[in-house]
């Protein structure tokens, strides 16, 4: 009688648990699959938009390339193709073509295209009719869509030719084919322009789904519409349901459509249900075993408990021994890591000291040369003034080394009220010899009243010197170098340093340690990283961007003194 009751109760409870678990797990795993599909779709959409935006600015930049303008003017294109090849590796574009006003290809990254005429193609005719960058999308002979940005190359007001940059959209199809989802991108008219199924391209999406065979991920799903329908519940339980998601690509009305199968959901749910059923089966078997072997278990209980206790004692002894050994190894590892950290800090400190002392040393060299010339002309009083400046620089070098020792720590111990105008003036005094040597025209725009901030004066001057020195390096080899320094005060105090150099090539790597565009021996790539860390310690931030009229603009933003006092109160 007891056995029958146990069997009936176990079956009822198992059925209820399996039903609830199946519903809950199916909903949970379906939602997880949906979230992953949405996240993957966002990543795909962002990648496409990033590739298009990155290539859209290239024609504007290359259209101003004086080498290409000179080649079109002189009709000498011997080196133009090689120059375009050097650009395409850096940009990551599919190809670049330069055409004259007759539509003939005069330079190209694919030399086989030289001499080909594109005078009737949309990318050429549309670019000739406007001075803006033109985007065109058209299928090639294989049916694949080619996207390109083209722009007219002009010398002043005189048109010279057209520059075309083709976007490498085929790379996305190759990446998407490695996933289990089917992906398609449609234009504003609903025509498929990119797809993991090449035969879908050039057709409206609905027509492609009705007439074309589907890939493996969809082969059991698109018998109806390809989306949720009346058979959705059956689809869930058989693993044949399909989720269709659409996302907008913020570019000319494009949309990205993905089809993700729920095939794995049923497998995962079945695996958990099998474990649950197995658990109940084991529980039922254990119940029968207990009922049938109750008398035997009572007699063996004490023996089993003693054996388990002995095993437990042996296991605890082994675990204690193993734990002691692991603790000893952990201690040795911690000591090794501490030593490695010390060595890393020592290497960073030595590199930083070498970089920061270059500026005072360069100024000392200039003052020594001036003092030597003054002594030769028997003007010792003026030479003595140069020696005094050298002595001040030596004191400053000592202060710099002391500051660099605390670079790895948070600042704030030596904060005082500092007039930003005086800090900028002191930094420019130190850089005055280099500014005169490079024949840089300096423009300063500062308020007439003091601009106070709470900061470490020496470290603030150090940041300004680094930015001015970086601007001088950026303007080397340029005509009429010009440096603008602007101070504005409001809720934030902004120190802007703008140069007339070539601008910033990789803004995302600009503040990384040891990143530099200088030649070997001219810098170690720590100046901007150190400056960014100092500004952060001062409670502000250092930003960089390309100027609207060329060159680079660095901005140091610090809380105004009144703002800090209000926050403290």
């Amino acid at each position: 009688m007891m056995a029958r009751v146990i069997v009936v109760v176990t079956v009822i409870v198992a059925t209820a648990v399996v039903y609830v678990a199946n519903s809950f797990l199916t909903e949970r795993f379906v939602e997880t699959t949906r979230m992953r599909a949405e996240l993957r779709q966002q990543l795909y959409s962002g990648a496409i938009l990033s590739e298009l935006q990155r290539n859209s600015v290239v024609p504007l930049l290359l259209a101003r390339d004086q080498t290409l303008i000179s080649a079109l003017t002189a009709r000498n294109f011997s080196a133009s193709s090689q120059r375009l090849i050097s650009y395409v590796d850096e940009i990551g574009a599919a190809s670049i073509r330069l055409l004259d006003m007759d539509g003939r290809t005069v330079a190209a990254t694919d030399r086989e295209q030289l001499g080909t005429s594109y005078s009737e193609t949309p990318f050429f005719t549309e670019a000739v009719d406007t001075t803006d960058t033109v985007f065109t999308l058209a299928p090639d002979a294989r049916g694949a869509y080619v996207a390109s940005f083209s722009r007219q190359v002009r010398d002043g007001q005189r048109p010279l030719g057209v520059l075309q940059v083709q976007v490498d959209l085929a790379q996305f199809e190759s990446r998407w084919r490695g996933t289990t989802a089917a992906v398609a991108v449609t234009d504003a008219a609903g025509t498929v322009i990119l797809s993991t199924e090449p035969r879908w391209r050039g057709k409206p999406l609905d027509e492609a789904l009705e007439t074309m065979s589907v890939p493996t991920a969809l082969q059991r799903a698109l018998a109806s519409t390809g989306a949720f329908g009346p058979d959705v519940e059956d689809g869930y339980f058989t693993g044949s349901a399909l989720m269709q998601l659409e996302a907008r690509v913020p570019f000319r009305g494009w949309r990205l459509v993905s089809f993700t199968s729920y095939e794995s959901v049923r497998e995962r749910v079945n695996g958990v249900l099998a474990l649950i059923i197995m658990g109940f089966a084991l529980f039922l078997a254990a119940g029968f075993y207990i009922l049938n072997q109750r008398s035997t278990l009572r007699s063996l209980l004490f023996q089993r408990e003693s054996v388990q206790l002995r095993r437990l004692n042996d296991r605890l002894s082994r675990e204690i021994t193993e734990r002691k050994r692991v603790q000893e190894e952990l201690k040795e590892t911690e000591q090794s890591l501490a030593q490695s950290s010390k060595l890393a800090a020592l290497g960073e400190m030595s590199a930083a000291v070498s970089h920061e002392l270059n500026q005072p040393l360069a100024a000392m060299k200039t003052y020594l040369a001036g003092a030597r010339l003054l002594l030769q002309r028997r003007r010792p009083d003026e030479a003595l003034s140069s020696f005094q400046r050298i002595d001040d620089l030596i004191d400053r070098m000592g202060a710099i080394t002391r500051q660099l020792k605390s670079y790895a720590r948070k600042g704030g111990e030596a904060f005082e009220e500092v007039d930003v105008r005086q800090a900028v003036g002191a930094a420019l005094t130190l850089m005055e010899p280099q500014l005169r040597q490079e024949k840089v025209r300096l423009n300063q725009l500062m308020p007439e009243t003091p601009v106070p901030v709470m900061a470490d004066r020496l470290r603030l001057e150090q940041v300004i010197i680094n930015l001015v020195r970086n601007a001088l390096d950026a303007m080397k080899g340029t005509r009429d170098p010009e440096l603008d320094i602007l101070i504005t005060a409001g809720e934030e105090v902004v120190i802007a340093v703008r140069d007339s150099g070539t601008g910033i090539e990789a803004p995302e790597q600009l503040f990384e340690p040891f990143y530099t565009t200088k030649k070997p021996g001219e810098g170690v790539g720590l100046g901007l990283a150190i400056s960014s860390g100092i500004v952060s310690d001062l409670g502000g931030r250092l930003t960089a961007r390309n100027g609207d009229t060329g060159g680079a603009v660095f901005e140091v933003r610090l809380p105004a003194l009144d703002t800090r006092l209000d926050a403290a109160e």
Side-chain angles (χ1 to χ4, degrees):
M1 184 67 180
M2 181 64 68
R4 293 181 179 178
V5 172
I6 293 176
V7 170
V8 172
V9 171
T10 302
V11 170
I12 294 174
V13 172
T15 302
V17 170
V18 169
Y19 178 82
V20 173
N22 180 72
S23 301
F24 173 79
L25 293 175
T26 299
E27 181 180 357
R28 183 72 176 271
F29 289 154
V30 164
E31 185 63 22
T32 301
T33 303
R34 182 192 301 274
M35 291 175 61
R36 290 179 178 176
E38 291 175 349
L39 177 60
R40 182 168 56 245
Q41 197 169 46
Q42 292 176 3
L43 293 175
Y44 290 170
S45 176
I48 293 174
L49 180 62
S50 176
E51 184 72 16
L52 291 170
Q53 290 179 340
R54 183 164 59 86
N55 284 271
S56 65
V57 300
V58 175
L60 176 61
L61 298 177
L62 295 185
R64 300 176 179 176
D65 191 313
Q66 292 300 322
T67 302
L68 298 180
I69 293 175
S70 300
L72 287 170
T73 303
R75 307 295 295 176
N76 182 6
F77 307 105
S78 58
S80 300
S81 294
Q82 185 60 42
R83 188 168 184 84
L84 294 182
I85 291 173
S86 66
Y87 286 143
V88 77
D89 293 334
E90 298 178 4
I91 298 169
S95 66
I96 304 177
R97 283 196 289 253
L98 180 65
L99 297 83
D100 59 16
M101 291 304 295
D102 295 329
R104 187 176 64 89
T105 303
V106 296
T109 53
D110 184 2
R111 297 182 185 273
E112 295 181 357
Q113 298 178 0
L114 294 178
T116 305
S117 176
Y118 295 94
S119 59
E120 302 298 329
T121 55
F123 80 84
F124 178 81
T125 57
E126 294 179 14
V128 169
D129 293 337
T130 181
T131 58
D132 296 328
T133 301
V134 175
F135 175 79
T136 55
L137 181 68
D140 59 10
R142 299 174 300 171
Y145 278 78
V146 178
S148 66
F149 292 93
S150 56
R151 187 181 181 91
Q152 192 177 132
V153 180
R154 304 175 67 89
D155 185 8
Q157 298 298 323
R158 183 166 63 96
L160 299 177
V162 172
L163 185 74
Q164 182 204 25
V165 177
Q166 290 188 357
V167 185
D168 185 12
L169 295 180
Q171 59 175 312
F172 298 110
E173 292 183 339
S174 302
R175 297 176 188 172
W176 297 340
R177 290 193 184 101
T179 64
T180 58
V183 184
V185 177
T186 62
D187 59 12
T191 303
V192 177
I193 57 177
L194 290 175
S195 175
T196 52
E197 176 56 55
R199 288 174 291 179
W200 289 7
R201 289 195 295 255
K203 297 178 178 291
L205 184 60
D206 294 340
E207 179 182 344
L209 295 178
E210 292 175 357
T211 60
M212 294 296 179
S213 62
V214 294
T216 304
L218 310 177
Q219 59 187 0
R220 300 185 311 177
L222 288 180
S224 56
T225 62
F228 294 118
D231 299 330
V232 62
E233 295 297 332
D234 294 338
Y236 281 153
F237 284 91
T238 61
S240 62
L242 185 77
M243 179 177 63
Q244 176 179 339
L245 293 176
E246 293 187 13
R248 185 177 67 89
V249 179
F251 182 82
R252 295 178 176 267
W254 288 13
R255 303 193 66 82
L256 188 144
V257 184
S258 65
F259 302 91
T260 304
S261 173
Y262 286 104
E263 185 175 0
S264 62
V265 172
R266 189 69 261 153
E267 296 176 358
R268 296 166 66 184
V269 173
N270 289 343
V272 177
L273 294 181
L275 292 177
I276 295 175
I277 295 173
M278 184 181 298
F280 278 104
L282 292 175
F283 174 78
L284 189 61
F288 281 109
Y289 181 80
I290 291 173
L291 291 175
N292 294 328
Q293 301 294 331
R294 180 179 298 176
S295 59
T296 305
L297 288 175
R298 288 177 179 175
S299 62
L300 297 177
L301 181 60
F302 294 105
Q303 296 180 5
R304 180 175 297 177
E305 289 179 350
S306 57
V307 171
Q308 290 177 350
L309 287 175
R310 286 195 298 269
R311 291 178 179 175
L312 181 59
N313 289 334
D314 294 338
R315 180 180 176 183
L316 289 175
S317 299
R318 290 194 299 270
E319 288 182 356
I320 291 173
T321 303
E322 180 67 18
R323 181 166 297 182
K324 289 181 179 179
R325 185 184 64 82
V326 171
Q327 288 178 347
E328 293 176 356
E329 292 180 355
L330 179 60
K331 185 180 296 184
E332 294 176 359
T333 303
E334 289 175 349
Q335 293 175 353
S336 176
L337 288 175
Q339 184 65 20
S340 299
S341 299
K342 292 179 182 179
L343 292 175
L346 179 60
E348 181 180 353
M349 185 66 67
S350 62
V353 169
S354 173
H355 178 272
E356 295 302 327
L357 293 184
N358 278 338
Q359 296 157 358
L361 287 174
M364 288 172 62
K365 184 176 180 181
T366 302
Y367 288 137
L368 282 173
R372 184 184 298 110
L373 183 60
L374 291 172
L375 289 176
Q376 289 175 356
R377 296 180 178 180
R378 297 183 179 181
R379 294 158 64 183
D381 293 338
E382 298 181 20
L384 184 61
S385 175
S386 296
F387 290 133
Q388 180 60 42
R389 291 185 179 180
I390 293 173
D391 184 63
D392 294 341
L393 288 174
I394 293 175
D395 293 339
R396 180 174 184 82
M397 290 168 63
I400 287 175
T401 57
R402 289 193 298 272
Q403 289 292 346
L404 289 176
K405 289 178 182 178
S406 62
Y407 171 67
R409 302 193 301 270
K410 289 290 182 182
E413 298 178 357
F415 280 13
E416 60 182 356
E417 183 176 340
V418 177
D419 187 353
V420 174
R421 302 179 307 164
Q422 295 179 358
V424 172
L428 292 177
T429 300
L430 182 61
M431 296 302 298
E432 182 181 358
Q434 286 88 340
L435 292 171
R436 287 200 305 267
Q437 182 179 356
E438 298 293 338
K439 298 181 180 179
V440 176
R441 185 172 66 181
L442 178 63
N443 301 319
Q444 301 182 56
L445 182 58
M446 304 182 186
E448 296 181 356
T449 58
V451 184
V453 295
M454 288 299 294
D456 184 334
R457 181 187 182 90
L458 184 59
R459 301 183 78 186
L460 180 57
E461 292 177 6
Q462 180 180 341
V463 170
I464 299 171
I465 290 173
N466 283 346
L467 296 181
V468 173
R469 184 59 182 268
N470 188 73
L472 291 177
D473 293 338
M475 293 187 294
K476 282 185 177 179
T478 62
R479 297 181 57 186
D480 299 329
E482 184 174 353
L483 180 64
D484 298 332
I485 297 181
L486 172 66
I487 299 177
T488 57
E491 293 183 358
E492 286 184 327
V493 175
V494 181
I495 308 171
V497 179
R498 188 189 70 82
D499 60 63
S500 59
T502 57
I504 303 171
E505 297 180 359
E508 68 279 358
Q509 300 177 347
L510 196 60
F511 298 109
E512 295 182 3
F514 300 104
Y515 171 77
T516 180
T517 58
K518 301 175 184 177
K519 297 179 180 179
E522 294 183 359
V524 295
L526 284 173
L528 292 178
I530 292 174
S531 299
S532 179
I534 292 175
V535 175
S536 297
D537 289 344
L538 298 181
R541 64 187 187 275
L542 175 61
T543 61
R545 58 183 173 83
N546 286 316
D548 297 335
T549 58
V553 179
F554 289 83
E555 293 182 347
V556 178
R557 296 180 176 269
L558 298 173
L561 182 58
D562 294 340
T563 304
R564 281 208 169 187
L565 291 177
D566 293 341
E569 293 175 358

